[in-house]
């Protein structure tokens, strides 16, 4: 059953606000509110997140070591040398902005009360505190499974559109970067370079999420996007070039991710944590809002074939490193993600996929 607030877009709520008052549905309890408003980026902040030149991973042991350190200690890293042109990245960000700034009736042609399409994230109850964002969620791969009825169409011939050609090109470019990262990750755990690629399968799924965060006059009271981890294998994120908002949890503190210009933020998620037997970590992250400016981002997620059963592979399980997760059907993980996300839990914990073995953890 679809909740009655499922069709209420945050962008419209923000446009109707008077005197800074917020609807109760978005206001966090005091202990869950962001501690501070996100500051604008600085050089010191930019140096915090590890930086990896993707173009050098195959040939440089030093660059590969930086990747390994980032994935094990942080989860995400800033990807330079990814090969996407600045012009192309600007085009897709401009198209994203144009879509969310287009008339509501035009955007509603892509609406869907399920996960895919234009809308807000799933609402399960009247008590659920809602995030301050709208999104467009589309499946990119396999190509023959694309649901084009939810893909935006141009408003006129003179306007940019997040349409088939632009999204197809982005799919190819993101896939190329992802494969290079997966090859390097396999070598880091002492395996052949197609080790993780074979686990994903030829008909792996990829999704893209365009997210729009309207300005919020009380950014100290809301989540742009609640703290969560993702259940994919690899995530590629193209962020707004002007406004910060993303934060990563590191050693118990929320760390601001600065604007990255034309660099990407890349990381492994829960799926990779499972198939690497917890060598690589899925980072907790959240988004806070800006009181004056809107913000956008574009994320691409990669998941193994849904009928596959994944778990820590035998080559990564031994006496010194026992399995940290049970074997699980990929589709079960995908289905459980939204339930876990709604309550602010990790999918592997929500579904009891993690092996709670204190002796195993101690050995790690």
């Amino acid at each position: 059953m679809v909740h009655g607030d499922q069709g209420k877009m945050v962008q419209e709520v923000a446009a109707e606000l008077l005197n800074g008052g917020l609807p109760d549905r978005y206001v966090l309890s005091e202990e869950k509110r962001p501690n501070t408003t996100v500051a604008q980026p600085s050089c010191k902040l930019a140096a915090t997140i590890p930086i990896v030149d993707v173009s050098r991973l195959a040939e440089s042991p030093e660059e590969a070591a930086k990747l390994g350190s980032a994935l094990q200690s942080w989860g995400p890293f800033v990807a330079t040398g990814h090969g996407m042109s600045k012009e192309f990245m600007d085009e897709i960000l401009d198209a994203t902005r144009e879509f969310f700034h287009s008339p509501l009736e035009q955007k509603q042609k892509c609406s869907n009360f399920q996960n895919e399409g234009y809308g807000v994230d799933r609402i399960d109850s009247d008590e659920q505190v809602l995030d301050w964002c709208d999104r467009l969620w589309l499946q990119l791969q396999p190509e023959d499974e694309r649901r084009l009825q939810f893909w935006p169409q141009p408003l006129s011939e003179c306007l940019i559109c997040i349409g088939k050609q632009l999204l197809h090109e982005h799919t190819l470019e993101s896939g190329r970067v992802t494969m290079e990262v997966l090859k390097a990750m396999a070598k880091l755990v002492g395996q052949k370079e197609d080790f993780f690629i074979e686990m994903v399968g030829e008909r792996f799924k990829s999704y893209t999420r365009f997210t729009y965060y309207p300005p919020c006059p009380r950014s100290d009271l809301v989540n742009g996007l609640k703290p969560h981890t993702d259940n994919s294998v690899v995530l590629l994120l193209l962020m707004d070039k002007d406004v910060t908002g993303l934060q990563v949890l590191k050693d118990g503190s929320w760390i601001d991710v600065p604007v990255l210009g034309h660099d990407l933020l890349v990381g492994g998620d829960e799926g990779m944590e499972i198939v690497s037997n917890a060598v690589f970590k899925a980072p907790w992250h959240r988004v806070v809002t800006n009181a004056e400016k809107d913000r956008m981002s574009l994320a691409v997620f990669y998941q193994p074939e849904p009928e596959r059963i994944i778990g820590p592979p035998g080559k990564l399980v031994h006496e010194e490193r026992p399995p940290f997760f049970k074997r699980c059907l990929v589709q079960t993980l995908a289905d459980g993600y939204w339930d876990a996300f709604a309550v602010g839990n990790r999918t592997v914990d929500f579904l009891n996929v993690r092996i709670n073995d204190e002796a195993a953890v101690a050995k790690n």
Side-chain angles (χ1 to χ4, degrees), residues 3-254:
H3 193 279
D5 287 339
Q6 197 72 56
K8 188 177 293 184
M9 308 309 299
V10 179
Q11 190 173 4
E12 303 305 309
V13 173
E16 296 170 358
L17 289 180
L18 297 175
N19 302 319
L22 297 179
D24 291 341
R25 293 303 307 274
Y26 302 93
V27 178
L28 294 163
S29 58
E30 188 170 352
E31 68 275 9
K32 294 184 178 180
R33 294 173 185 173
N35 294 327
T36 59
T37 302
V38 173
Q40 289 305 304
S42 68
C43 294
K44 290 183 179 179
L45 284 178
T48 301
I49 307 294
I51 300 174
V52 177
D53 185 343
V54 175
S55 68
R56 300 181 62 232
L57 283 175
E59 61 188 34
S60 170
E62 293 79 11
E63 209 67 27
K66 288 167 58 178
L67 173 67
S69 176
L71 292 170
Q72 293 177 59
S73 61
W74 277 85
F77 63 92
V78 176
T80 64
H82 49 69
M84 295 188 193
S85 72
K86 295 179 179 180
E87 294 76 15
F88 170 70
M89 299 176 82
D90 287 342
E91 182 180 9
I92 199 163
L93 283 173
D94 289 344
T96 301
R97 184 174 297 276
E98 180 181 277
F99 172 79
F100 284 110
H101 286 180
S102 64
L104 178 61
E105 58 270 20
Q106 182 70 24
K107 291 179 289 191
Q108 286 177 330
K109 294 178 180 179
C110 307
S111 291
N112 183 21
F113 292 129
Q114 303 302 316
N115 297 331
E116 193 168 357
Y118 171 67
V120 297
D121 289 322
R122 200 180 76 187
I123 302 173
D124 292 331
S125 69
D126 292 336
E127 293 73 32
Q128 182 178 336
V129 179
L130 306 184
D131 293 336
W132 196 258
C133 66
D134 298 332
R135 54 94 173 123
L136 175 66
W137 180 270
L138 304 173
Q139 180 172 336
L140 300 176
Q141 293 170 294
E143 288 185 38
D144 57 8
E145 294 182 7
R146 291 175 177 175
R147 303 174 72 186
L148 297 180
Q149 67 267 35
F150 300 127
W151 289 40
Q153 301 301 317
L155 305 180
S156 70
E157 292 183 0
C158 63
L159 294 178
I160 304 170
C161 174
I162 313 172
K164 297 178 186 178
Q165 183 175 352
L166 188 60
L167 268 179
H168 184 69
E169 183 177 353
H170 188 66
T171 302
L172 297 177
E173 290 291 296
S174 299
R176 176 182 52 77
V177 176
T178 298
M179 293 303 117
E180 290 304 312
V181 172
L182 285 174
K183 290 175 183 178
M185 293 170 80
K187 292 181 179 178
L188 287 170
V189 293
Q191 305 301 320
K192 58 182 182 179
E193 67 176 19
D194 59 354
F195 183 67
F196 290 127
I197 294 175
E198 290 180 351
M199 285 187 184
V200 170
E202 293 183 1
R203 287 184 61 80
F204 64 88
K205 289 183 178 289
S206 69
Y207 300 87
T208 184
R209 176 186 170 114
F210 301 85
T211 310
Y212 178 78
Y213 303 93
C216 182
R218 292 300 308 273
S219 56
D220 57 319
L221 301 181
V222 305
N223 277 323
L225 195 60
K226 66 175 63 65
H228 66 285
T229 57
D230 296 306
N231 73 334
S232 55
V233 172
V234 174
L235 160 69
L236 272 66
L237 181 64
L238 173 59
M239 301 196 304
D240 197 297
K241 295 192 299 179
D242 300 311
V243 184
T244 59
L246 179 65
Q247 297 181 334
V248 176
L249 188 63
K250 179 73 166 66
D251 299 329
S253 298
W254 288 103

